[in-house]
Amino acid sequence: MHPHQRMQATALKIILLTNLLLTAVGRAEYWPGWRGPRGDGTSSERNIPHRWSSSENVAWKVKIPGRGHASPIVWGEHVMVVTCLEEKQQRVLLCLDRKTGQTLWSEVVVRAPLEAIHQLNSRASSTPVTDGERVYVSFLEPNGATIPAEDVRKRSGTLRADNTGRPVNPGKMCVAAYDLQGRRQWIVRPGDFASVWGYCASPIVFEDKVIVNGDHDGDAYIVALDRQTGKTAWKVPRKHRIRSHCVPLIRQLDGRVQMMVAGSHSIVSYDPQTGAQHWHTVGPQGRAVASPVFASGLLLVSTAYPDREFLAVRPTGRGNVTDTHIAWRHRQSAPYVPSPIAVGDYFVAVSDDGIASCFQTSTGQRHWRKRIGKGHSAALVAANGLVYFVSDAGITRVVRPGENFELIAENAIGEPCYASPAISQGQIFLRSENHLFCIGKQ
């Protein structure tokens, strides 16, 4: 057997064994990275809390030092989260005990000057990912230089910027791997990175690779790193060289493994094993932050800025599929930052200003459109047929998707919240500006 085939077979055995073990404990799941075990915000668990407050139905609550908007991840008895200690100019990986919230270890990944960021961003916004052996983290490592916006526009061959008037802090994408005891295994800087809004590039794991989207205001790229060594396995340029923060979604579709990502004036499907392109669209124009989902045979995307719209794409084409494979599209109340979700036959989203929508996934028919609050940044998550909307004010509204709007619960923790929640083993892990909450039974 070829070494690559042996590796795939071993990985498949590990996945099957893990699934059997998790099924044996009541379909409990770990939450290994951005948007959970399937990368789409869904949990297969059923016994998930849907009512709580800042003190009621809370197993524990611990203060997280510094500031960060990255989501927590959960593996076994470990909860891991990243933060930035701004006064020390440190980007840090923390590992907590899942049962108590006690800090098990803390490691400084990057020590560098603070980059300029958008008011809704942080300097620790990239959610880590784990394969059960290592945890992989991603930060910007600024070089200390500040380029005024007017100078950036003059350097169109190297960097690009819009008319924000904001400076750019150029630097390097920094990706590092740690074992579950906090020992660094490797650290690499696979490419340049500069953006007027700061950094957010959550890594994902595929087979023997760690993949990171490097869309930025310069020579943009997507890069795949070897999980064992950090060496670059492949690196593909992004044609339009414009900042986006969309985390790719990987699925086996149409007889091909497809890694689909929005942003940089297009939606593109790549082969995650090689970086080769399967298909692409021309447009929507602008940048993307929200991650796509897949349901009913369609890739469902909410993108981009300034052209905010929903698109449903049939992932079965080759080359330019703009005129042939877009099944439906809507422009009203499409989110820029909060990632949508698919539950059964329903596609659910919330706009940045708090307007929720529910569509029939296959046709794009909108069942309802309802204001459920004000600012929203967190990605939607779902469990047991319910969708959880976390607002910037720290209020989680639990809604049952369907042809009619049905609000199940409204839960306030009394603190701002920009991070997306994690669901694991009957509990919800919710990160506020200052604390990490473990919601559910102890």
Side-chain angles (χ1 to χ4, degrees):
M1 183 182 291
H2 190 274
H4 182 68
Q5 292 176 312
R6 283 198 300 269
M7 184 179 296
Q8 287 182 310
T10 302
L12 181 60
K13 289 177 182 177
I14 292 172
I15 292 170
L16 291 173
L17 178 59
T18 302
N19 288 341
L20 286 171
L21 291 172
L22 295 179
T23 301
V25 294
R27 294 200 60 79
E29 288 184 316
Y30 298 155
W31 197 267
W34 171 248
R35 306 213 76 192
R38 285 162 290 279
D40 60 4
T42 62
S43 169
S44 65
E45 297 192 28
R46 298 189 177 278
N47 189 26
I48 302 299
H50 59 268
R51 296 187 186 277
W52 65 85
S53 69
S54 60
S55 56
E56 297 176 354
N57 203 18
V58 175
W60 49 258
K61 168 187 171 183
V62 297
K63 184 172 179 58
I64 300 296
R67 184 169 180 262
H69 294 168
S71 300
I73 64 171
V74 186
W75 188 270
E77 298 307 312
H78 299 85
V79 179
M80 287 161 281
V81 68
V82 294
T83 189
C84 177
L85 306 181
E86 295 179 346
E87 67 284 357
K88 296 181 179 179
Q89 298 186 340
Q90 295 175 347
R91 285 67 161 180
V92 177
L93 171 63
L94 296 170
C95 180
L96 312 180
D97 182 274
R98 185 187 165 278
K99 292 181 180 178
T100 65
Q102 179 183 356
T103 298
L104 299 176
W105 49 262
S106 173
E107 293 295 327
V108 176
V109 182
V110 172
R111 186 180 286 103
L114 302 180
E115 68 270 24
I117 57 174
H118 189 277
Q119 62 181 355
L120 291 178
N121 199 1
S122 76
R123 297 176 179 92
S125 292
S126 305
T127 297
V129 65
T130 183
D131 54 15
E133 296 180 358
R134 299 178 182 85
V135 55
Y136 307 93
V137 293
S138 172
F139 294 98
L140 176 65
E141 187 175 59
N143 61 22
T146 299
I147 303 175
E150 58 270 21
D151 291 344
V152 171
R153 288 190 287 275
K154 293 176 184 177
R155 302 183 185 187
S156 58
T158 306
L159 293 173
R160 302 182 67 182
D162 54 22
N163 295 318
T164 61
R166 295 176 61 88
V168 172
N169 298 113
K172 297 286 187 181
M173 170 190 285
C174 179
V175 184
Y178 291 80
D179 66 19
L180 297 190
Q181 288 72 48
R183 296 182 292 252
R184 179 182 289 176
Q185 304 300 295
W186 50 258
I187 185 167
V188 296
R189 295 160 182 84
D192 294 332
F193 195 97
S195 170
V196 298
W197 296 139
Y199 185 79
C200 180
S202 300
I204 58 174
V205 168
F206 172 74
E207 292 184 354
D208 58 341
K209 299 176 181 66
V210 179
I211 301 174
V212 193
N213 181 3
D215 277 342
H216 72 106
D217 295 325
D219 294 328
Y221 52 88
I222 296 178
V223 64
L225 308 173
D226 184 275
R227 278 168 49 192
Q228 299 295 325
T229 65
K231 292 181 179 179
T232 297
W234 55 256
K235 186 177 182 181
V236 295
R238 296 281 280 166
K239 179 179 179 181
H240 298 291
R241 303 167 58 249
I242 182 171
R243 62 189 177 277
S244 292
H245 303 294
C246 179
V247 180
L249 179 72
I250 298 178
R251 291 290 187 272
Q252 177 83 33
L253 302 170
D254 191 40
R256 302 169 289 178
V257 181
Q258 300 195 42
M259 182 183 75
M260 299 161 288
V261 61
S264 194
H265 302 320
S266 64
I267 304 167
V268 184
S269 171
Y270 298 94
D271 182 341
Q273 294 161 329
T274 65
Q277 189 178 124
H278 295 306
W279 54 261
H280 71 277
T281 65
V282 177
Q285 289 295 302
R287 307 176 290 276
V289 176
S291 300
V293 296
F294 180 82
S296 300
L298 298 170
L299 180 72
L300 303 160
V301 181
S302 178
T303 184
Y305 183 87
D307 289 348
R308 301 190 188 188
E309 62 179 321
F310 296 105
L311 291 97
V313 184
R314 293 185 294 272
T316 56
R318 301 288 194 282
N320 186 347
V321 301
T322 310
D323 297 328
T324 57
H325 284 70
I326 296 179
W328 57 262
R329 64 203 309 165
H330 277 286
R331 288 188 176 273
Q332 193 177 42
S333 302
Y336 176 40
V337 174
S339 297
I341 203 160
V343 180
D345 296 328
Y346 302 108
F347 176 57
V348 184
V350 63
S351 65
D352 301 60
D353 57 357
I355 299 177
S357 301
C358 180
F359 299 89
Q360 191 73 29
T361 303
S362 57
T363 65
Q365 176 189 357
R366 191 194 298 265
H367 291 302
W368 49 259
R369 180 171 173 263
K370 179 82 171 179
R371 175 169 290 283
I372 61 169
K374 295 183 179 179
H376 281 70
S377 300
L380 304 186
V381 296
N384 198 25
L386 301 176
V387 176
Y388 293 70
F389 298 77
V390 180
S391 75
D392 296 350
I395 300 172
T396 301
R397 294 173 176 89
V398 184
V399 173
R400 189 186 309 279
E403 296 185 6
N404 299 301
F405 178 77
E406 183 182 356
L407 179 65
I408 302 298
E410 193 170 282
N411 310 299
I413 58 173
E415 297 181 20
C417 185
Y418 301 97
S420 305
I423 298 173
S424 181
Q425 301 175 79
Q427 296 174 320
I428 298 174
F429 296 83
L430 187 60
R431 180 184 189 170
S432 71
E433 270 292 76
N434 301 309
H435 296 89
L436 181 63
F437 292 77
C438 177
I439 297 166
K441 298 178 180 179
Q442 290 187 337

